[in-house]
Amino acid sequence: MLTPSLSRALRFLLLAALLASGPAWAQSAEPTPMQKLDAARAELGQIGIALRRAGLSDADLIARRQDLEPLAATAAEVIERVSPTYDSVKARLDQLGPVDEKDKDKSSAVEADRAEQQRLFNEVDGVLKRARALSLEVEQARALITSRRRAIFTGALFQRSSSLLAPDLWIAVLGEIPRDVKAAGVVASDWLSAAGSRLDRWRAVLFVALLAAVAVFYGAATVLAKRVLRRAPDVAEPTRLQKAVGAIWVGFVTAIVPILAALAVAETLRSFDLVNARLEPLLQALVETVRRVALAAGLVRGLLAPLRPTWRLFDLGDEVASRLAGLAMRLVSIVSLMKIVEAMNELIGVALSVSVAVRGVGALSVALLMIFSLKGIAGPPEADDECLGPRIEPARDWYGPLRFLAWIAITAILGSVLIGYVAFSAFIAEQLVWVGFIGCLAYVLIVLVNEGFEVALRPPAAVAHAVMSSLGLRREALQQLAALLAGVTSVCVIAAATLLTLAPWGIESDDMLANVRSAFFGFKIGDVTVSLSSLVLALSFFAAALFATRTVQRWLERKFLPHTHLDTGLRNSIRTSIGYVGFIVAAAVGFGSLGLSFEKLAIVAGALSVGIGFGLQSIVNNFVSGLILLWERAIRVGDWVVVGDEQGYVRRINVRSTEIETFDRATMIVPNSNLITGVVKNWVSGDKVGRIRVPVAVNLVADPEVVRETLIQTAKAQDLVEKIPAPTVMFISMSDANLKFELVCFVSDVEKSARVKSDLYFAIHARFKAEGIGISPPAAPPAPPAVVNISGLEKLGALLDSKS
């Protein structure tokens, strides 16, 4: 065995090697954790000096943020490496206990071990604190960069200029036009002269040959694409999966040909050195325009299918689809033209007034085009309320909300242009195109994944058989798996679309993840500051989380739970519980965006507990009773219950009360606490089997055996009466007026007991009439006592009174 001193020495060497503070690290080529932290801190200091400089552009800030990533990785690596050693040394110190002055001389070995462990703990703790401090400083630097980028974005977006109605603006534009035209001519002549000097005889021939090859490629690819992108004409009614696949294929084939041709032309110009640094932005704007218009054309042809209405994903008429297609292409063309003119303006150095006029006219054109186009675009016709047959649940109308949002955008563009915020109006016009493209693409992908998983995992598909044979799943489990995979994939598509939509607003994925972490875990930097902007952001987060919760609830209710064997009550319990959890998460997200961590929320909850104890006691009682009802499931949605003098079906269990629909089609609202503390009769708690009691009275001359046999045969002849337990007849009483019997039988569904009882009475009356059994009439009321009137008694009474 090792002696205590040798054991301590080996432990010291091991910890020293882990800390990189001993001689072993001096001989190693790898830097020690302290050296890594020192180097990272020095680099962070340089970044801080760079961030203190004024006038940094957005590109500079992005570069500085990328420089922070290795520093954050270094801090995380050191923390991960040193934390196990820290935990080990701290556990050893806890085992040795604190210093005891009384036993100091009795256990010198323990004291020496404690001193050694304390020294190692101080070293490890110092490294760990430095690493955590570095990580915190990196996060603060990230926050500073994010705030400065948002300030730059906001300043450029809301920079006020002249209104389009200002005469001075157009006077300045008219004065600048001759100079700008001359400058453009100079740029064009310079480019032509430079191209002539660079393209000698053979280079010119090669250049023209390459452009001709691109033109031939474009023509051949276009002809081939027209044949390839044809949807199958023999499919009369394509499925939604076929429509989604066809839309993606048509959109891809339509867009890829012009995009490749534009890239080929651009690379040809660059390879012959015909584009310098000054002309590069204009070339990029031209290529971007081709890409934007090609993608828009592909998406329009794929989604709206103007020439093949049966392949159209949206339920639109031909006229509406044609209007939407024209509106989309015109919007894209206007925005693309604005980008080209802006690049040309930067190339020739136009005045600010010309740039403002170009942006304002472009944004105003977008608004006016949308106004004239939206007049002829209407949603689907409303269903006729007086139609015959069962009522058809109408599909969700997305046209109303989209039209409302479009009019908000139009109003914002017009107002911004008129009051002088031209940059903001141009940004909105560009975002309309970008958001529309992302939204349509996300819609196609969601339809594709939903229908694709459902078809792929539906027998007799090959994928379904492979999954069933390899995983041993049943057919119902495959449907659940398809719904689950489709839901998860749809959430991923929506998240990606949200990030792409917010990207032009200066919000990056790292920023959103940081906000989510703050919402769930919380952090404190000084005192919490609540402003109007932070409050609006918190409400937006809360609404988004609540909308996600409602979406998950609808998906569970319509897609996933119907494929399970769960009863209606348990499905409602799961759906309601998800709603409670989602509401709590939404509240946490909203408060977290304000900087309120769970510790502060606990303090607020403690303060509210006094109010709950006094004023909200009944509400809390009903809420807890509702939770008990959901999880104990003594009363479920769909049960037939009797509460007091009323009875009916449980339709919904809410937070505070339960809705019961009576047989009179009235809704009875019962507090949940009444259902927990009161007496409730549930006809279908265990099963739906119920007993029917049919009392019958016959006259005294009837044979009881014949009556019993007749009643039993009548009950057995009813289809809804259970054979087991068999119907029985009870002889209840025998009086001077009649004989009373009671038929007892069972039905499988107690909800049909009233109808079965009525059918039994009809059948019993017919059988008794056929058998000659008389039904006893109700007993007559007893006759009143006879009254005898004797005339003359009044005179006799008067005579007796006179004699007395």
Side-chain angles (χ1 to χ4, degrees):
M1 294 182 59
L2 296 175
T3 62
S5 59
L6 183 58
S7 177
R8 290 195 301 271
L10 291 176
R11 191 182 303 113
F12 171 75
L13 291 176
L14 177 60
L15 295 176
L18 290 174
L19 288 173
S21 59
W25 276 106
Q27 301 174 359
S28 176
E30 183 180 357
T32 65
M34 292 296 294
Q35 292 173 349
K36 290 182 178 180
L37 292 178
D38 292 338
R41 184 169 294 278
E43 188 174 354
L44 181 61
Q46 296 296 326
I47 295 175
I49 294 174
L51 290 178
R52 283 193 291 270
R53 292 199 303 264
L56 290 178
S57 64
D58 188 68
D60 296 333
L61 293 174
I62 293 176
R64 299 292 79 77
R65 178 162 184 164
Q66 293 175 352
D67 295 338
L68 290 175
E69 299 303 325
L71 307 184
T74 299
E77 178 187 357
V78 173
I79 292 174
E80 183 179 2
R81 184 175 181 181
V82 175
S83 293
T85 305
Y86 175 85
D87 296 337
S88 176
V89 176
K90 189 176 183 301
R92 179 63 177 166
L93 280 176
D94 294 339
Q95 291 176 355
L96 293 174
V99 178
D100 193 352
E101 296 294 337
K102 297 180 180 180
D103 300 334
K104 187 174 182 180
D105 299 333
K106 298 179 182 179
S107 180
S108 59
V110 174
E111 291 301 325
D113 194 6
R114 182 186 294 111
E116 178 185 335
Q117 296 296 327
Q118 186 64 44
R119 184 181 64 81
L120 294 175
F121 176 79
N122 293 337
E123 293 179 359
V124 176
D125 186 54
V127 175
L128 194 58
K129 286 181 178 179
R130 290 196 63 183
R132 289 174 178 171
L134 177 63
S135 178
L136 179 60
E137 292 176 4
V138 170
E139 290 297 330
Q140 291 175 348
R142 283 176 175 172
L144 177 61
I145 291 175
T146 300
S147 64
R148 292 189 61 177
R149 289 188 62 202
R150 290 179 180 174
I152 292 175
F153 173 78
T154 305
L157 191 62
F158 294 100
Q159 182 179 5
R160 189 166 185 178
S161 57
S162 300
S163 171
L164 287 185
L165 300 180
D168 296 339
L169 174 65
W170 296 106
I171 293 174
V173 169
L174 292 177
E176 291 291 335
I177 286 178
R179 190 193 67 83
D180 295 336
V181 173
K182 183 178 179 180
V186 171
V187 171
S189 62
D190 291 343
W191 182 81
L192 291 175
S193 60
S197 62
R198 290 185 178 91
L199 295 177
D200 53 10
R201 181 178 179 183
W202 296 108
R203 289 174 61 88
V205 173
L206 182 59
F207 178 74
V208 174
L210 288 176
L211 292 182
V214 172
V216 171
F217 162 77
Y218 180 77
T222 303
V223 174
L224 181 62
K226 290 182 179 179
R227 298 182 179 179
V228 171
L229 58 80
R230 289 181 180 176
R231 298 176 173 100
D234 56 341
V235 180
E237 296 182 359
T239 63
R240 285 182 62 82
L241 177 60
Q242 292 175 330
K243 291 180 181 179
V245 173
I248 293 177
W249 175 249
V250 169
F252 172 77
V253 174
T254 302
I256 192 64
V257 176
I259 290 176
L260 291 178
L263 292 176
V265 172
E267 290 301 322
T268 302
L269 293 174
R270 292 190 183 101
S271 62
F272 283 88
D273 198 17
L274 296 179
V275 180
N276 52 24
R278 187 181 178 187
L279 294 175
E280 183 65 29
L282 179 60
L283 179 62
Q284 292 180 359
L286 292 173
V287 174
E288 185 65 26
T289 296
V290 175
R291 183 187 297 115
R292 187 183 295 110
V293 174
L295 289 174
L299 201 58
V300 166
R301 295 189 64 179
L303 277 178
L304 300 179
L307 300 180
R308 292 191 178 273
T310 56
W311 286 84
R312 192 173 295 152
L313 264 176
F314 296 110
D315 187 13
L316 300 173
D318 294 342
E319 183 180 357
V320 175
S322 178
R323 282 180 172 269
L324 283 177
L327 174 63
M329 295 307 301
R330 293 186 185 97
L331 288 179
V332 172
S333 301
I334 292 174
V335 172
S336 301
L337 183 61
M338 287 172 56
K339 291 293 184 180
I340 295 175
V341 174
E342 288 177 4
M344 190 66 188
N345 291 340
E346 292 180 1
L347 178 62
I348 62 178
V350 299
L352 179 61
S353 57
V354 178
S355 178
V356 169
V358 169
R359 288 189 171 188
V361 170
L364 185 62
S365 301
V366 169
L368 295 178
L369 178 63
M370 293 182 64
I371 290 175
F372 289 112
S373 298
L374 289 177
K375 289 183 178 180
I377 299 177
E382 297 182 358
D384 188 5
D385 294 336
E386 300 180 356
C387 63
L388 301 177
R391 179 176 178 83
I392 300 176
E393 188 69 21
R396 176 170 295 182
D397 181 17
W398 292 102
Y399 301 100
L402 290 178
R403 282 197 301 267
F404 179 72
L405 294 176
W407 280 109
I408 290 178
I410 292 171
T411 305
I413 293 175
L414 294 177
S416 301
V417 167
L418 295 179
I419 64 178
Y421 291 99
V422 176
F424 182 66
S425 63
F427 179 77
I428 295 178
E430 296 172 7
Q431 291 309 297
L432 285 175
V433 175
W434 175 247
V435 173
F437 174 76
I438 296 298
C440 293
L441 184 60
Y443 175 78
V444 176
L445 293 178
I446 288 175
V447 173
L448 179 65
V449 297
N450 279 276
E451 300 296 331
F453 280 119
E454 183 179 354
V455 172
L457 295 178
R458 181 195 303 163
V463 177
H465 282 294
V467 173
M468 292 175 64
S469 59
S470 59
L471 301 180
L473 299 178
R474 296 180 300 176
R475 184 185 297 267
E476 295 82 0
L478 279 181
Q479 296 176 351
Q480 299 174 18
L481 180 62
L484 186 61
L485 292 176
V488 172
T489 310
S490 299
V491 169
C492 295
V493 172
I494 293 174
T498 303
L499 292 177
L500 291 174
T501 302
L502 296 178
W505 294 80
I507 301 177
E508 297 181 351
S509 59
D510 294 338
D511 300 331
M512 297 189 66
L513 293 176
N515 290 333
V516 172
R517 287 195 298 268
S518 170
F520 280 101
F521 303 106
F523 63 90
K524 181 179 179 181
I525 303 177
D527 296 329
V528 177
T529 302
V530 179
S531 61
L532 181 60
S533 59
S534 61
L535 184 60
V536 171
L537 185 63
L539 292 176
S540 301
F541 277 122
F542 176 78
L546 200 61
F547 175 76
T549 301
R550 297 294 181 263
T551 303
V552 171
Q553 286 182 293
R554 287 194 296 270
W555 172 76
L556 286 172
E557 183 179 7
R558 300 177 183 178
K559 295 288 186 180
F560 184 74
L561 293 178
H563 299 300
T564 63
H565 296 288
L566 304 178
D567 57 81
T568 306
L570 184 55
R571 295 180 190 176
N572 180 76
S573 299
I574 294 173
R575 181 184 181 279
T576 307
S577 302
I578 292 294
Y580 291 156
V581 174
F583 181 83
I584 294 173
V585 172
V589 169
F591 285 118
S593 64
L594 292 175
L596 294 174
S597 61
F598 285 108
E599 297 177 357
K600 297 176 182 178
L601 293 179
I603 296 175
V604 176
L608 290 177
S609 61
V610 179
I612 291 174
F614 287 100
L616 304 179
Q617 183 177 3
S618 60
I619 296 177
V620 175
N621 186 16
N622 289 321
F623 174 74
V624 175
S625 300
L627 295 180
I628 295 174
L629 289 176
L630 288 174
W631 292 105
E632 189 181 56
R633 301 182 67 238
I635 298 175
R636 301 164 298 181
V637 173
D639 287 357
W640 175 10
V641 297
V642 179
V643 181
D645 297 334
E646 297 289 344
Q647 57 181 327
Y649 296 102
V650 177
R651 293 307 183 195
R652 190 175 181 182
I653 301 177
N654 299 317
V655 175
R656 189 194 65 83
S657 61
T658 298
E659 298 179 8
I660 300 176
E661 182 182 348
T662 64
F663 297 147
D664 298 331
R665 305 293 293 177
T667 301
M668 183 171 62
I669 309 299
V670 181
N672 293 329
S673 58
N674 292 1
L675 300 178
I676 294 295
T677 59
V679 178
V680 181
K681 184 177 182 180
N682 193 338
W683 282 97
V684 294
S685 179
D687 52 38
K688 288 191 174 184
V689 176
R691 187 177 69 168
I692 299 178
R693 301 169 62 182
V694 182
V696 177
V698 298
N699 53 28
L700 293 174
V701 299
D703 186 355
E705 294 294 334
V706 175
V707 173
R708 178 172 64 178
E709 186 66 24
T710 302
L711 291 175
I712 291 176
Q713 294 299 328
T714 304
K716 289 182 177 180
Q718 293 292 327
D719 296 333
L720 298 178
V721 174
E722 292 290 305
K723 302 301 185 290
I724 299 175
T728 58
V729 176
M730 309 294 294
F731 200 151
I732 302 300
S733 65
M734 180 176 63
S735 63
D736 297 336
N738 52 30
L739 305 178
K740 293 183 178 180
F741 299 86
E742 188 175 74
L743 172 63
V744 180
C745 55
F746 292 85
V747 292
S748 59
D749 190 352
V750 70
E751 297 179 1
K752 301 178 181 178
S753 58
R755 196 185 85 185
V756 174
K757 192 173 182 178
S758 175
D759 293 342
L760 283 174
Y761 271 124
F762 277 112
I764 289 171
H765 185 275
R767 291 290 298 271
F768 277 9
K769 186 176 181 181
E771 297 289 339
I773 300 174
I775 299 177
S776 178
V787 179
V788 179
N789 295 322
I790 302 176
S791 60
L793 288 180
E794 295 82 1
K795 297 180 179 181
L796 179 59
L799 180 62
L800 293 176
D801 292 336
S802 62
K803 290 183 177 182
S804 61

